[in-house]
């Protein structure tokens, strides 16, 4: 449970940083970013309920398109569910936002892991 909460906070910070980039993603407040991080984390968690072999097989066969499309759909769903989280350019903002969120979240997670705050 603690791991999920840390993931949500890291996703919220990442989402807030992505909203500052010119990606067409708008987040009204840090509270909306925290709610967005919770929804994105929960939806990504549902995807991880699939067996690892099935996820890996799908990623290899589709040359990485299935995980990419799932990330874009999750990002769009979170924007649709939260009132203060908008995609200014529609699907293009979802694509750019999902890419940017992945990169920023990976960098923040790597930093927190190297410092010893994440396992």
């Amino acid at each position: 449970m603690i791991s999920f909460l840390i993931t949500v906070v890291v996703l919220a910070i990442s989402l807030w940083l992505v909203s500052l980039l010119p990606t067409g993603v708008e987040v009204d407040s840090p509270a909306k970013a925290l709610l967005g991080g919770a929804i994105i984390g929960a939806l990504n968690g549902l995807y991880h309920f699939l067996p690892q072999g099935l996820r890996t097989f799908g990623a290899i066969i589709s040359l990485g398109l299935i995980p990419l499309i799932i990330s874009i759909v999750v990002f769009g769903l979170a924007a649709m569910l939260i009132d203060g989280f908008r995609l200014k350019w529609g699907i293009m903002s979802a694509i750019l936002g999902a890419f940017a969120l992945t990169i920023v979240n990976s960098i923040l997670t790597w930093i927190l892991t190297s410092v010893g705050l994440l396992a």
Side-chain angles (χ1 to χ4, degrees):
M1 186 65 175
I2 298 287
S3 175
F4 177 72
L5 293 176
I6 292 172
T7 302
V8 166
V9 170
V10 171
L11 275 169
I13 293 169
S14 301
L15 187 59
W16 184 257
L17 290 173
V18 167
S19 73
L20 299 176
L21 297 172
T23 56
V25 176
E26 296 176 346
V27 179
D28 288 344
S29 67
K32 300 292 182 177
L34 189 62
L35 188 58
I39 289 176
I40 290 171
L43 292 175
N44 280 336
L46 290 176
Y47 173 67
H48 282 59
F49 272 129
L50 293 174
Q52 176 68 32
L54 183 62
R55 286 183 284 150
T56 304
F57 179 73
I60 291 171
I61 293 299
S62 69
L63 300 175
L65 285 178
I66 290 176
L68 175 64
I69 291 171
I70 289 173
S71 295
I72 294 168
V73 168
V74 164
F75 199 81
L77 279 173
M80 193 173 69
L81 292 173
I82 300 171
D83 192 28
F85 176 19
R86 290 175 299 284
L87 301 175
K88 200 167 29 172
W89 307 318
I91 189 72
M92 190 52 111
S93 292
I95 293 169
L96 291 173
F99 273 122
L101 185 70
T102 300
I103 292 168
V104 171
N105 190 42
S106 296
I107 291 170
L108 286 178
T109 302
W110 177 76
I111 290 170
L112 291 176
T113 302
S114 65
V115 170
L117 294 175
L118 288 178

